[in-house]
Amino acid sequence: MAKKKSILDFYRMKKEGEQVAWVTAYDFPMASFAEQAGMDMILVGDSLGMVVLGYNSTIPVTMEECISHCKAVRRGAPNTWVIGDMPFMSYQKSDEQAVENAGRFLKEADMDCVKLEGGRRVASRIKAITDAGMVVMGHIGLTPQSSGQLGGFKAQGRDVKSARELIKDALAVQEAGAYALLLEAVPPELSKFLQQKLDIPVYSIGAGPCDGQLLICGDMLGLFQAFTPKFVKQYANVAEIEINAFKEYINDVKTGKFPTDDHVYHIKDSMEDFERLFKEFE
Ligand code: KIV
């Protein structure tokens, strides 16, 4: 089994140009499969709200839901670097609130790190969490928790004006002490600049080549059916596999093909003994 990675591995990998492959996971089996496959790290994203809880956005996701899913992921992937995603309103109010909730991810769910969305406006939160001894990842570009302000789930930094703001945000996140930065849905020209400009690892989800790539498991495995972003490469269609399996099962049950003799526990005493038993109750 591969040794669990630390921030030192991620810094080395950036320096040596070794790509980091990571994915979201929300439960024990998904985390276990990711670890068995050799994933470098796992994000328990607040996307769990949309992918597994059926909400329309990430906004309703609570700290309790995140902690519960993080615990399941940790049980499934004990030897993988796992990042807990701070949900909406778990860090927006104050530095104190941010430190307290980040601490819960580590103390209660054994996370290695927390991620929060935003640039300059959350710099003091990143600094406060880092000053409390925890590891933080920043996340800028398309930030789903503030998609209302962005006018929807839209790519960011495509013009010089908004790219300038993102560069300032990226520098502020690094300056505040984040160990890594995630860019979501920004053009590869800007990602490449930031990857070279920043000392910390810069990862991409829909931002082209960087120091590593993240995909949402629901998208890459074909589990999430509401929509598929342009940047997703789908590696499997698990929804189709599951629906077909369920259909076959329904058909087997209704036509008596399941269960067969192979799927039952046979008696240990003789049939005569059992017939005598049944007679006692007639
Ligand atoms: O919640 C999540 O999965 C995320 C990704 C969209 C980056 O934050």
Side-chain angles (χ1 to χ4, degrees):
M1 183 174 299
K3 194 175 143 280
K4 183 174 159 182
K5 292 190 171 59
S6 76
I7 51 171
L8 300 181
D9 294 296
F10 297 119
Y11 291 141
R12 176 191 55 74
M13 289 167 85
K14 174 172 176 110
K15 208 166 144 211
E16 295 175 0
E18 187 185 339
Q19 286 289 306
V20 170
W22 52 310
V23 73
T24 64
Y26 315 107
D27 58 21
F28 177 91
M30 192 68 78
S32 169
F33 300 152
E35 180 163 295
Q36 288 175 53
M39 208 64 76
D40 291 307
M41 54 190 191
I42 293 175
L43 170 68
V44 189
D46 64 351
S47 51
L48 74 91
M50 296 173 80
V51 179
V52 299
L53 297 179
Y55 299 142
N56 283 334
S57 76
T58 57
I59 299 301
V61 177
T62 64
M63 271 299 292
E64 302 316 315
E65 285 165 340
C66 286
I67 294 287
S68 165
H69 284 269
C70 284
K71 284 181 174 174
V73 167
R74 172 52 79 210
R75 288 191 287 269
N79 294 306
T80 303
W81 178 264
V82 183
I83 302 155
D85 204 10
M86 299 192 72
F88 182 60
M89 290 315 293
S90 70
Y91 59 93
Q92 278 84 354
K93 273 195 216 158
S94 65
D95 290 354
E96 292 69 27
Q97 183 206 27
V99 171
E100 194 168 323
N101 281 323
R104 288 193 61 194
F105 277 94
L106 273 70
K107 278 177 85 82
E108 295 175 35
D110 195 18
M111 293 293 95
D112 297 297
C113 164
V114 293
K115 173 174 87 57
L116 50 82
E117 296 182 6
R120 282 160 289 174
R121 68 178 171 190
V122 297
S124 76
R125 308 286 188 271
I126 294 175
K127 183 168 181 338
I129 298 170
T130 307
D131 284 349
M134 294 175 263
V135 182
V136 185
M137 176 184 282
H139 174 181
I140 62 169
L142 196 182
T143 42
Q145 289 174 16
S146 46
S147 59
Q149 286 184 337
L150 304 176
F153 289 82
K154 291 191 180 341
Q156 302 295 307
R158 297 177 79 186
D159 56 54
V160 168
K161 187 165 173 259
S162 93
R164 176 174 285 111
E165 298 307 308
L166 285 178
I167 293 169
K168 288 183 193 167
D169 281 337
L171 291 170
V173 165
Q174 173 170 271
E175 175 67 27
Y179 91 102
L181 174 66
L182 175 64
L183 300 177
E184 178 166 355
V186 307
E189 294 81 359
L190 176 58
S191 311
K192 188 172 173 206
F193 172 78
L194 289 173
Q195 183 199 1
Q196 288 168 355
K197 174 84 187 153
L198 267 54
D199 297 323
I200 59 176
V202 177
Y203 301 123
S204 154
I205 176 164
C210 268
D211 294 314
Q213 295 295 321
L214 166 67
L215 280 178
I216 292 187
C217 63
D219 293 332
M220 68 170 296
L221 297 177
L223 284 166
F224 183 66
Q225 296 183 302
F227 61 87
T228 307
K230 171 180 159 62
F231 58 75
V232 170
K233 179 169 175 185
Q234 197 177 324
Y235 288 85
N237 192 340
V238 175
E240 195 176 286
I241 294 170
E242 287 194 21
I243 292 167
N244 285 340
F246 287 149
K247 279 184 181 167
E248 202 177 325
Y249 165 69
I250 292 168
N251 187 57
D252 280 0
V253 170
K254 295 198 182 277
T255 59
K257 280 197 211 143
F258 176 83
T260 68
D261 219 31
D262 292 337
H263 307 114
V264 295
Y265 301 96
H266 288 288
I267 55 176
K268 285 185 174 167
D269 290 325
S270 71
M271 194 56 215
E272 288 73 31
D273 288 338
F274 269 79
E275 271 159 9
R276 266 194 296 280
L277 168 72
F278 298 152
K279 270 213 170 68
E280 280 176 36
F281 292 91
E282 272 173 6

